[in-house]
Amino acid sequence: MCRDHTSLSLRAPARQALGALENAGYEAWIVGGFVRDALMGRASGDIDIATSAPWQEAARAFAAQGLRVHETGIAHGTITVIVSDEPIEVTTYRADGTYTDSRHPDTVEFVNDIAADLKRRDFTMNAVAYHPRRGLFDPEGGVPDIEAGLIRAVGDPSRRFGEDALRILRACRFSSQLGFAIESATMRAMESCAPLLSRIASERTLKELQGFVCGEHVYDALMACADVLASVIGELKAMKGFDQKTPYHIYDVLEHTAYAMQNTPAYPLVRWAALFHDMGKPRTFFTDDAGIGHFYGHATVSVELAEPVMKRLGMPSALSSDIIELVTRHDDDIEPTPKAVKRALRRLGGRVDLFRALCDLKRGDALAQAPHCHNRVALADELDRALDAILEAEEAFSLKDLAIKGGDVIALGIAPGPEVGRLLEEALEAVIDERVPNERAALTAFVRMR
Ligand code: ATP
Ligand code: MG
């Protein structure tokens, strides 16, 4: 997996930033995720530099080269330099002091060697330094861990998670994004420190969780991290090991959920909806006389459980209301006929994107069931094709497609108000059911008859 360790490809702006610090007489290394991703042959994200230069000196060195600098975190010794439009974070070597809030060091101590700086980083895979001439510097053993696909805390895991509980969620997120396993002592410490997650700001928790749900390896990561994540999303505990006792399912509710997520495309709306879609199953479960499990109304209960979680996480309301819509409708039977699809679109407020997402969710859900249910994927494909045909033919399925508007209804002598909307909805229903053509004269006549 690892490329030639001594020559990672480094973009020109990174070389220029290193050069500026070195010309001023300081030491500098590329560190963190960029090195990790480059070693894995993955597209690398932001570039981080660690340097012996105090931040004021680093800022002076960059300014001397005509580079723009932003003081993005000077309390922690961090500035951001812009090189050819690329922002590069530059942080003075530091060791963190004590932590009392499970998130931020009370003090930071600037140190003068890179080894001490690497020790304060979260995981060995993120504690590797690289320099184009000096090659890799890996005192924490990050390179072998990257090769083995392992997430391992730097130093004593319990102490590190006790200092900053966000690291627990970072481990879950990295596991989902990179497909890495979490080393066992690190995982044990994550589980025992997980209650500290309640102290993490909701926006940070949400950001890490969203990275987690959208990871390429979310199945493995959810199966491995469910106990930890249950500190944030309590119902995961009840889902784990919950036997569904139905011929449609061969997995417990948690594993079914993990497969459903893995089998949906990686965008937040559908991945969150997949996470929540069956959360209500343990609470609605009962067995009939034949011992078969049923979950009537589980979608509604899933919504009831998901809503407070999303609220607590401060999820944007537009996203959470779309998630609720998908969870509510994930089990709706929709015939792949133009009429039925248009009715479903109308129920979704004419939202084509939501309908597509519902198809994605249905496909993922089907693939996570017993193999004999996988043919339901074809049904979701048919729904997608039926929608294509409706769009192609420009058929009406929402009020904005209707050949009459509110003004036309008012012109018929209806007082402005809710009655206008109701009549338009009736007209739309009639058009979708093919009782009235979507034409102005026909629709005006229809409304006049109501
Ligand atoms: P990515 O950007 O792909 O999410 P990354 O590893 O670059 O991953 P960043 O959040 O950009 O993560 O942080 C850069 C580096 O800073 C990390 O690689 C790690 O060395 C260090 N770091 C970040 N957050 C923490 C933390 N909470 N505790 C300790 N070290 C951290
Ligand atoms: Mg990064």
Side-chain angles (χ1 to χ4, degrees):
M1 182 204 299
C2 290
R3 299 245 199 88
D4 176 8
H5 294 170
T6 52
S7 64
L8 299 181
S9 103
L10 209 52
R11 298 195 284 272
R15 289 174 187 277
Q16 197 182 332
L18 287 178
L21 293 164
E22 286 165 352
N23 284 341
Y26 295 100
E27 186 182 81
W29 296 83
I30 308 291
V31 288
F34 182 90
V35 179
R36 178 198 69 227
D37 290 343
L39 285 166
M40 292 178 70
R42 262 176 121 237
S44 306
D46 301 343
I47 296 173
D48 290 296
I49 288 179
T51 180
S52 60
W55 71 264
Q56 299 90 334
E57 296 299 317
R60 201 166 298 144
F62 293 130
Q65 305 233 339
L67 297 170
R68 231 168 353 115
V69 170
H70 301 287
E71 295 181 2
T72 42
I74 50 175
H76 299 104
T78 301
I79 57 173
T80 300
V81 59
I82 312 295
V83 188
S84 309
D85 293 331
E86 174 152 5
I88 298 178
E89 264 201 11
V90 179
T91 303
T92 307
Y93 296 158
R94 64 172 227 234
D96 296 338
T98 52
Y99 290 71
T100 43
D101 68 350
S102 306
R103 176 68 191 110
H104 304 100
D106 302 330
T107 54
V108 302
E109 182 198 339
F110 296 110
V111 293
N112 53 19
D113 81 300
I114 182 72
D117 179 89
L118 295 175
K119 267 200 174 2
R120 62 112 180 148
R121 293 176 183 273
D122 49 3
F123 304 110
T124 59
M125 64 179 186
N126 292 340
V128 183
Y130 175 75
H131 186 279
R133 276 193 319 281
R134 298 189 294 273
L136 290 167
F137 181 56
D138 183 24
E140 301 301 330
V143 175
D145 280 342
I146 292 170
E147 273 163 344
L150 267 188
I151 297 173
R152 183 196 308 270
V154 173
D156 172 46
S158 296
R159 213 194 88 218
R160 303 311 309 284
F161 295 130
E163 287 170 356
D164 177 2
L166 187 69
R167 292 172 187 150
I168 299 169
L169 290 179
R170 281 172 63 85
C172 300
R173 189 253 297 177
F174 283 127
S175 170
S176 181
Q177 290 178 331
L178 306 175
F180 281 19
I182 299 171
E183 178 271 330
S184 59
T186 301
M187 180 55 102
R188 278 198 304 279
M190 285 164 65
E191 288 171 357
S192 62
C193 296
L196 297 174
L197 287 173
S198 62
R199 302 172 70 170
I200 299 296
S202 56
E203 65 268 24
R204 302 304 304 260
T205 305
L206 176 64
K207 186 163 172 271
E208 295 301 333
L209 283 183
Q210 184 138 307
F212 174 88
V213 300
C214 290
E216 235 182 283
H217 305 270
V218 68
Y219 169 82
D220 288 330
L222 182 57
M223 295 310 289
C225 300
D227 288 341
V228 171
L229 295 176
S231 282
V232 187
I233 304 173
E235 206 61 18
L236 290 173
K237 268 230 154 60
M239 293 158 70
K240 188 173 168 180
F242 196 95
D243 182 350
Q244 308 200 50
K245 299 199 189 308
T246 129
Y248 305 120
H249 285 282
I250 50 176
Y251 306 117
D252 68 29
V253 178
L254 180 72
E255 190 164 18
H256 163 72
T257 298
Y259 273 122
M261 293 172 81
Q262 184 73 50
N263 285 308
T264 53
Y267 58 93
L269 169 59
V270 76
R271 282 286 175 94
W272 281 113
L275 173 65
F276 292 130
H277 80 289
D278 275 355
M279 206 161 255
K281 277 190 166 177
R283 296 194 188 201
T284 51
F285 176 76
F286 72 93
T287 47
D288 60 23
D289 294 343
I292 305 288
H294 300 279
F295 313 90
Y296 298 128
H298 76 272
T300 312
V301 177
S302 296
V303 166
E304 284 166 14
L305 293 167
E307 266 179 328
V309 172
M310 295 191 288
K311 202 172 220 135
R312 223 175 35 243
L313 292 173
M315 187 175 286
S317 60
L319 177 57
S320 60
S321 61
D322 286 355
I323 292 168
I324 287 169
E325 197 75 39
L326 291 194
V327 174
T328 304
R329 304 200 180 279
H330 79 268
D331 248 356
D332 282 7
D333 281 322
I334 307 169
E335 293 273 304
T337 61
K339 263 190 212 175
V341 169
K342 282 187 277 184
R343 279 194 208 117
L345 281 162
R346 184 183 161 218
R347 283 196 298 274
L348 294 171
R351 292 270 305 276
V352 171
D353 61 330
L354 268 187
F355 188 88
R356 297 277 190 212
L358 185 59
C359 293
D360 284 336
L361 180 58
K362 283 178 167 291
R363 257 187 297 269
D365 194 5
L367 285 169
Q369 295 176 359
H372 68 88
C373 299
H374 291 187
N375 56 356
R376 291 183 190 174
V377 171
L379 183 63
D381 292 345
E382 277 184 68
L383 290 173
D384 258 330
R385 281 195 296 274
L387 173 59
D388 291 340
I390 289 163
L391 294 174
E392 177 75 30
E394 297 184 0
E395 288 178 33
F397 53 80
S398 80
L399 287 183
K400 69 177 171 12
D401 309 321
L402 209 56
I404 55 168
K405 305 284 168 229
D408 300 305
V409 177
I410 291 164
L412 293 174
I414 312 290
E419 181 66 1
V420 175
R422 199 189 58 75
L423 286 166
L424 286 172
E425 287 289 352
E426 264 189 49
L428 176 62
E429 204 177 306
V431 168
I432 288 175
D433 290 347
E434 296 170 10
R435 286 181 276 123
V436 183
N438 189 21
E439 290 161 8
R440 196 151 183 270
L443 286 168
T444 314
F446 172 84
V447 171
R448 197 175 283 132
M449 307 255 301
R450 304 318 283 174

